[in-house]
Amino acid sequence: MGDGTTGGTRSLAELIGRRGVFGGFPGADPALLTEAAAELAELGFGTVWLGHSTVEEAAPVVAAVGGITVGTAIQSIWRHGAADTAARFAELEAAHPGRFVLGLGVSHPQMVTGYRRPLASMSGYLDELDSAGRPVPAGRRVLAALGPRMLGLAAERAAGALPYLVTSAQVAAARETLGTGPVLAPELGVVLETDPERARALAREALSFYLGLTNYTDNWLRGGFTAEDLSGGGSDRLVDALFAWGDEDRIRARVDEFRAAGADHIAFQLVGGAAEGGLPREGWRRLAALTAAEG
């Protein structure tokens, strides 16, 4: 199923574009978000990925922001049942055709009571989405996959994968597992700061929560990092591999690494910096300028 088709005239790759922005946007003024989304589309970003969101929470954003795709990144399968999710997806699709992508994940044992058998649980959830009265098309869903088995499921049962906090080497490994058809859309944290100490401090602040989640730490250990790299807020080696920071040439080089590794789309998450009404609009403008050659 992982060929990226949406059931309409546009593939998922066409729907989301090559660049997106990732964030939770807590407390953002709806009118300002609408205005900012229009600017993001003009700047060449194809998608707004809403962190830790659900279809229900994404619906008003989809309604407010024309001209750009909106995706959940991600909705935990433990938060809402598949039947309810399918019904809400169908309602949103009827109101705003081709504007929404359902990103799904299994979350983490540290965050979910009764967490169990993640691969089997995700597979069962996808079964229910497929058998719902109004199914969610495989071409309009992506999985927050990190390990090879979940990536394999993303290739078979979804349009692709949206891995979070990964290195360029892990992007390459994900591409190999997914094959050439499914969309690979990794998140990349960007710190628009040239001072190494300040940049790494901002990155560590963003990273600290995830160092307590075993799905991430296990993935980094599989990727060649050590327990020492994961201690003390994360080693410089870990931080530098997970975040793009520095001057424009250095950040462009990291983006190029992700592209060379096989990323079809990059979900850029700005770390630190000033926000206007809860939105890092000036940072998005700078990011758009330094990645403009990507189209």
Side-chain angles (χ1 to χ4, degrees), residues 192-262:
L192 297 173
E193 172 62 60
T194 57
D195 177 76
E197 185 175 346
R198 173 64 176 160
R200 288 178 176 135
L202 289 168
R204 286 191 174 93
E205 184 178 344
L207 182 63
S208 60
F209 172 73
Y210 301 98
L211 287 168
L213 302 178
T214 50
N215 285 350
Y216 288 115
T217 57
D218 288 348
N219 194 49
W220 296 326
L221 292 171
R222 279 196 302 267
F225 294 97
T226 67
E228 185 176 353
D229 285 313
L230 308 186
S231 65
S235 68
D236 286 354
R237 184 168 82 107
L238 179 67
V239 168
D240 291 352
L242 296 177
F243 295 86
W245 63 265
D247 61 21
E248 292 183 357
D249 288 342
R250 182 180 174 125
I251 292 174
R252 282 196 192 98
R254 294 302 313 285
V255 173
D256 289 345
E257 285 179 16
F258 268 49
R259 293 298 188 195

Side-chain angles (χ1 to χ4, degrees), residues 40-87:
L40 284 170
E42 291 176 0
L43 290 171
F45 293 102
T47 305
V48 173
W49 297 100
L50 303 177
H52 309 292
S53 60
T54 64
V55 181
E56 182 179 19
E57 292 163 345
V61 182
V62 175
V65 298
I68 196 167
T69 300
V70 176
T72 52
I74 50 80
Q75 175 177 304
S76 166
I77 64 171
W78 313 104
R79 256 186 102 177
H80 284 291
D84 179 63
T85 294

Side-chain angles (χ1 to χ4, degrees), residues 37-212:
E39 183 182 14
L40 284 170
E42 291 176 0
L43 290 171
F45 293 102
T47 305
V48 173
W49 297 100
L50 303 177
H52 309 292
S53 60
T54 64
V55 181
E56 182 179 19
E57 292 163 345
V61 182
V62 175
V65 298
I68 196 167
T69 300
V70 176
T72 52
I74 50 80
Q75 175 177 304
S76 166
I77 64 171
W78 313 104
R79 256 186 102 177
H80 284 291
D84 179 63
T85 294
R88 291 182 184 276
F89 179 95
E91 292 170 359
L92 189 54
E93 180 65 11
H96 307 281
R99 293 277 320 291
F100 176 70
V101 176
L102 178 63
L104 294 169
V106 295
S107 190
H108 305 273
Q110 292 80 13
M111 298 175 66
V112 175
T113 301
Y115 187 91
R116 62 192 181 279
R117 301 178 65 201
L119 190 71
S121 296
M122 177 61 82
S123 182
Y125 197 93
L126 296 175
D127 288 342
E128 292 185 58
L129 292 182
D130 288 340
S131 62
R134 292 178 289 179
V136 177
R140 292 285 291 284
R141 60 199 192 203
V142 293
L143 306 187
L146 293 175
R149 291 187 297 172
M150 194 65 76
L151 285 163
L153 188 64
E156 295 170 6
R157 304 290 306 279
L162 181 69
Y164 187 82
L165 280 174
V166 289
T167 68
S168 57
Q170 289 174 321
V171 172
R175 179 81 280 166
E176 184 175 355
T177 300
L178 288 171
T180 58
V183 170
L184 178 55
E187 174 269 352
L188 176 61
V190 177
V191 187
L192 297 173
E193 172 62 60
T194 57
D195 177 76
E197 185 175 346
R198 173 64 176 160
R200 288 178 176 135
L202 289 168
R204 286 191 174 93
E205 184 178 344
L207 182 63
S208 60
F209 172 73
Y210 301 98
L211 287 168

